[in-house]
């Protein structure tokens, strides 16, 4: 069957990409060196009897390694200087080195975790042309818009495999570095469990030294250095070619679907970057104390999920702190909205003397930091007998968020046509009735947005609560959570467990009122 030129060219390019993968894996991709033996001989000059004796000793050690099947080379370094008495001294340092290279196929045959990733990568490279060839056979000479479902499915699978190929290339390199560097360092410093040390050393002995290291593997890995050849990253080139060809077969074009894939990858990457701190908070909340103090962070997920951390955190008063924060934030939000809605309506609809000055004063009030006003706030609360009370914190948080609420709600009311109120008044509503029955339902998105910000600001407040609250049972969660941090130690698992509990009320709030944030509720509101 005669193939369409574009499909034939795409298939040939895929086969060439597969050949490039095979050639890349056939090249030396890993270069490593190990210092097997070092001998330093002071007061030794090149050519004298002591030098000859030491040289023979080093050569005998090298022969012993050669007998085990480890190729060696001997290097020497001579350091000469003149001492304080004017006499010339010399230090000769001999080193027995083994330098080897490993191809991609040898990495594939190793017992390292990276070998499995490379095997999947190679499998993708083989399957992509095969699946695309099958899809081309199904498509026949049909044009792109007339492709049968099975051909479209085959091309879609090839696109997915190409993306998987591109993802596995850097992941395999990172995993190889993890095995050769990080895990080796942990094993040599006895920070890796014995159940992982022995399989790791066995795999490295077979891969690096062809099983000849034996019991000396720990000492040899102590002086082991390696370099991953830049040639390895040539694998990205066939991955890109696979993707371009698969997209051409799937959609008949390249630029538009490629830009869409780049957009999706960018959005997913940015989302993962934003959510990573929350991921760390979540998994650390269920780690054991030993794992939380492991600075190497070897395991991404806890090796043992300690669900009792949440119970222990609640037993130490966190539930009471959460209730206090809910009361403070809820009360502050209620007060701020009750005062802010009428004030914002007046700023949007009424003209009175001093309006401009009042708006300026509202803005200026946002310039003062709570820290600057701490002394005055503390004296005011003492005068009102509201110090060390939840009610006092409610009013303070409401006051600090009042200016923000007024300005945000004023903008919402300004954007609503005054004709709606006029129509309501014609129908018999008073000004207050028009506000309650017409404007507030229409302004729901702005009110909900203001409510969310006021609630979150009150929930996260820390400075004022630290100064005014002295009774432990009256602490909000932002202050109470500090009990897990001291000068001597930080109980990370409890700290993150409490932080996880502190995020739950805010998440629930968003779940219930998120639907009210949609815009466009004013459409069709004008009578006509």
């Amino acid at each position: 069957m005669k193939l369409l030129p574009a499909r034939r060219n795409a298939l040939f390019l895929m086969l060439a990409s597969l050949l490039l993968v095979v050639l890349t894996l056939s090249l030396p991709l890993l270069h490593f060196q190990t210092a097997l033996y070092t001998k330093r001989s002071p007061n030794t000059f090149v050519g004298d009897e002591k030098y000859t004796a030491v040289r023979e000793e080093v050569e005998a050690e090298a022969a012993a390694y050669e007998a085990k099947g480890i190729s060696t080379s001997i290097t020497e370094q001579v350091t000469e200087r003149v001492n304080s008495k004017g006499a010339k001294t010399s230090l000769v340092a001999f080193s027995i080195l083994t330098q080897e290279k490993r191809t991609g196929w040898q990495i594939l045959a190793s017992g390292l975790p990276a070998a499995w990733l490379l095997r999947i990568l190679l499998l993708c490279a083989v399957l992509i042309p095969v699946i695309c060839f099958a899809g081309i056979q199904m498509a026949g000479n049909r044009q792109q818009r007339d492709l049968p479902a099975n051909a479209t499915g085959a091309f879609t699978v090839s696109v997915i495999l190409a993306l998987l190929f591109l993802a596995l290339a850097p992941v395999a390199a990172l995993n190889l570095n993890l095995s050769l560097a990080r895990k080796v360092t942990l094993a040599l410093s006895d920070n890796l469990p014995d159940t992982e040390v022995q399989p790791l050393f066995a795999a490295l002995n077979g891969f690096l030294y062809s099983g000849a290291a034996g019991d000396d593997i720990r000492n040899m890995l102590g002086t082991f250095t390696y370099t991953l050849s830049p040639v390895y990253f040539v694998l990205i080139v066939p991955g890109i070619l696979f993707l371009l060809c698969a997209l051409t077969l799937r959609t008949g074009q390249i630029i538009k679907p490629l830009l869409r894939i780049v957009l999706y990858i960018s959005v997913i990457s940015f989302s993962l970057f934003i959510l990573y701190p929350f991921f760390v908070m979540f998994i650390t909340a269920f780690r054991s104390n030993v794992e939380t103090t492991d600075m190497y962070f070897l395991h991404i997920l806890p090796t043992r999920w300690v669900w009792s951390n949440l119970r222990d955190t609640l037993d130490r008063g966190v539930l009471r702190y959460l209730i206090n924060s809910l009361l403070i934030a809820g009360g502050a939000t209620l007060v701020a909205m009750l005062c802010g809605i009428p004030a914002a309506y007046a700023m949007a609809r009424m003209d009175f003397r001093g309006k401009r000055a009042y708006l300026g004063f509202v803005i200026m009030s946002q310039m003062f930091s709570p820290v600057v006003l701490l002394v005055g706030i503390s004296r005011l609360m003492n005068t009102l007998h509201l110090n060390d009370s939840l009610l006092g914190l409610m009013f303070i948080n409401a006051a600090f968020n009042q200016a923000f609420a007024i300005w945000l709600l004023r903008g919402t009311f300004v954007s609503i046509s005054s004709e709606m109120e006029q129509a309501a008044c014609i129908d018999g509503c008073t000004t207050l009735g028009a506000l309650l029955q017409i404007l507030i339902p229409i302004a729901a998105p702005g009110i909900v947005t203001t409510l969310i910000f006021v609630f979150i600001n009150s929930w996260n407040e820390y400075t004022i609560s630290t100064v005014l609250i002295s009774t432990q049972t009256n602490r909000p969660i932002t202050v109470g959570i500090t009990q897990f941090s001291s000068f001597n130690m930080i109980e990370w698992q409890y700290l993150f467990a409490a932080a996880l509990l502190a995020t739950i009320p805010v998440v629930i709030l968003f779940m219930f009122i998120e639907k009210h944030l949609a815009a466009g509720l004013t459409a069709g509101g004008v009578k006509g």
Side-chain angles (χ1 to χ4, degrees):
M1 180 179 63
K2 186 177 181 181
L3 302 179
L4 295 178
R7 294 173 185 168
R8 183 179 64 249
N9 294 337
L11 186 59
F12 285 156
L13 191 56
M14 284 185 176
L15 294 175
S17 300
L18 176 59
L19 180 60
L20 181 58
V21 172
V22 173
L23 291 176
T24 303
L25 293 177
S26 301
L27 297 174
L29 301 180
L30 186 69
H31 306 258
F32 67 93
Q33 173 180 289
T34 306
L36 302 173
Y37 179 81
T38 301
K39 178 71 175 181
R40 292 180 176 84
S41 180
N43 300 321
T44 303
F45 295 89
V46 177
D48 63 7
E49 294 182 359
K50 187 175 182 180
Y51 171 85
T52 303
V54 173
R55 177 79 185 190
E56 291 176 353
E57 178 184 345
V58 173
E59 290 177 349
E61 290 287 342
Y65 281 106
E66 292 282 353
K68 295 180 181 180
I70 301 176
S71 61
T72 61
S73 61
I74 299 176
T75 63
E76 65 176 69
Q77 182 179 3
V78 181
T79 304
E80 294 183 351
R81 67 182 184 90
V82 178
N83 60 21
S84 58
K85 298 180 180 180
K88 185 178 181 180
T89 61
S90 176
L91 172 67
V92 180
F94 294 94
S95 296
I96 302 177
L97 305 177
T98 176
Q99 297 177 335
E100 294 288 347
K101 300 177 181 178
R102 293 292 182 264
T103 65
W105 299 110
Q106 290 173 309
I107 298 176
L108 281 167
S110 69
L112 300 175
W116 290 100
L117 297 176
L118 285 177
R119 291 170 190 171
I120 299 175
L121 180 144
L122 182 60
L123 180 62
C124 291
V126 174
L127 289 178
I128 291 172
V130 172
I131 294 176
C132 285
F133 178 75
I136 291 173
Q137 294 295 319
M138 299 172 191
N141 291 324
R142 297 181 182 90
Q143 296 299 321
Q144 199 67 35
R145 61 180 178 274
D146 300 325
L147 286 179
N150 50 6
T152 302
F155 296 147
T156 302
V157 171
S158 65
V159 171
I160 296 173
L161 290 177
L163 290 173
L164 180 61
F165 182 98
L166 278 172
L168 286 175
V171 170
L174 291 174
N175 197 276
L176 186 62
N177 288 329
L178 175 66
S179 298
L180 297 179
R182 193 175 182 187
K183 284 193 173 182
V184 168
T185 302
L186 291 175
L188 295 177
S189 59
D190 296 326
N191 287 320
L192 198 67
D194 292 337
T195 54
E196 297 185 34
V197 172
Q198 296 303 324
L200 175 65
F201 282 177
L204 292 177
N205 184 20
F207 173 56
L208 300 174
Y209 308 111
S210 302
D215 295 335
D216 292 336
I217 182 65
R218 176 179 286 270
N219 296 329
M220 293 172 68
L221 290 176
T223 58
F224 167 78
T225 58
Y226 73 96
T227 302
L228 185 63
S229 174
V231 177
Y232 171 85
F233 295 98
V234 173
L235 289 174
I236 296 178
V237 175
I240 295 175
L241 295 177
F242 281 139
L243 180 60
L244 293 178
C245 293
L247 286 174
T248 302
L249 295 173
R250 173 64 178 80
T251 63
Q253 52 184 334
I254 295 179
I255 301 300
K256 188 175 180 179
L258 188 61
L259 290 177
R260 181 173 296 180
I261 289 176
V262 171
L263 176 62
Y264 287 158
I265 293 176
S266 301
V267 171
I268 293 173
S269 300
F270 184 72
S271 301
L272 293 176
F273 177 78
I274 295 296
L275 295 175
Y276 180 73
F278 296 94
F279 170 75
V280 173
M281 176 185 68
F282 177 79
I283 62 173
T284 308
F286 301 104
R287 289 184 184 272
S288 63
N289 183 54
V290 175
E291 284 191 297
T292 57
T293 55
D294 177 19
M295 294 296 102
Y296 295 100
F297 205 64
L298 181 62
H299 301 284
I300 296 178
L301 297 176
T303 55
R304 182 173 65 88
W305 292 80
V306 186
W307 303 102
S308 60
N309 286 344
L310 292 179
R311 184 185 67 249
D312 296 340
T313 303
L314 294 174
D315 291 341
R316 293 174 63 170
V318 169
L319 181 59
R320 177 63 185 176
Y321 303 148
L322 287 172
I323 295 174
N324 292 341
S325 289
L326 283 173
L327 293 175
I328 294 170
T333 303
L334 179 63
V335 172
M337 299 305 293
L338 289 177
C339 297
I341 291 176
Y345 175 78
M347 293 299 102
R349 291 288 189 263
M350 300 179 182
D351 290 324
F352 55 88
R353 184 176 297 179
K355 176 180 177 180
R356 188 182 300 273
Y358 177 76
L359 289 174
F361 173 76
V362 170
I363 287 294
M364 288 180 58
S365 66
Q366 292 294 96
M367 299 171 56
F368 297 99
S369 171
V371 178
V372 179
L373 305 175
L374 271 177
V375 176
I377 291 174
S378 180
R379 295 190 63 179
L380 177 63
M381 290 296 105
N382 282 328
T383 303
L384 299 176
H385 303 288
L386 293 176
N387 202 11
D388 194 19
S389 68
L390 300 182
L391 184 61
L393 285 181
M394 290 180 193
F395 287 126
I396 292 173
N397 281 286
F400 274 111
N401 289 284
Q402 193 66 73
F404 172 81
I406 291 174
W407 268 95
L408 195 59
L409 290 171
R410 176 183 176 273
T412 301
F413 287 129
V414 168
S415 65
I416 300 175
S417 174
S418 59
E419 296 179 8
M420 297 183 182
E421 297 168 76
Q422 298 172 7
C425 292
I426 293 174
D427 291 339
C429 277
T430 62
T431 302
L432 180 59
L435 173 63
L436 296 177
Q437 299 179 29
I438 305 299
L439 291 186
I440 288 182
I442 295 175
I447 293 175
V448 169
T449 302
T450 306
L451 184 148
I452 290 175
F453 278 101
V454 173
F455 184 89
I456 292 177
N457 288 338
S458 302
W459 181 271
N460 293 333
E461 197 282 319
Y462 173 78
T463 306
I464 300 295
S465 302
T466 305
V467 175
L468 295 186
I469 300 298
S470 57
T471 304
Q472 184 172 356
T473 55
N474 288 339
R475 292 178 178 178
I477 187 63
T478 51
V479 179
I481 202 174
T482 58
Q483 68 172 304
F484 303 114
S485 175
S486 64
F487 292 105
N488 298 324
M489 64 176 295
I490 300 177
E491 297 174 289
W492 292 108
Q493 70 278 21
Y494 296 142
L495 185 64
F496 281 102
L500 179 63
L501 292 173
T503 60
I504 293 176
V506 179
V507 172
I508 294 176
L509 175 66
F510 269 89
M511 289 174 59
F512 277 102
I513 64 179
E514 182 270 337
K515 61 182 179 180
H516 298 292
L517 295 176
L521 297 182
T522 59
V526 180
K527 293 178 66 175

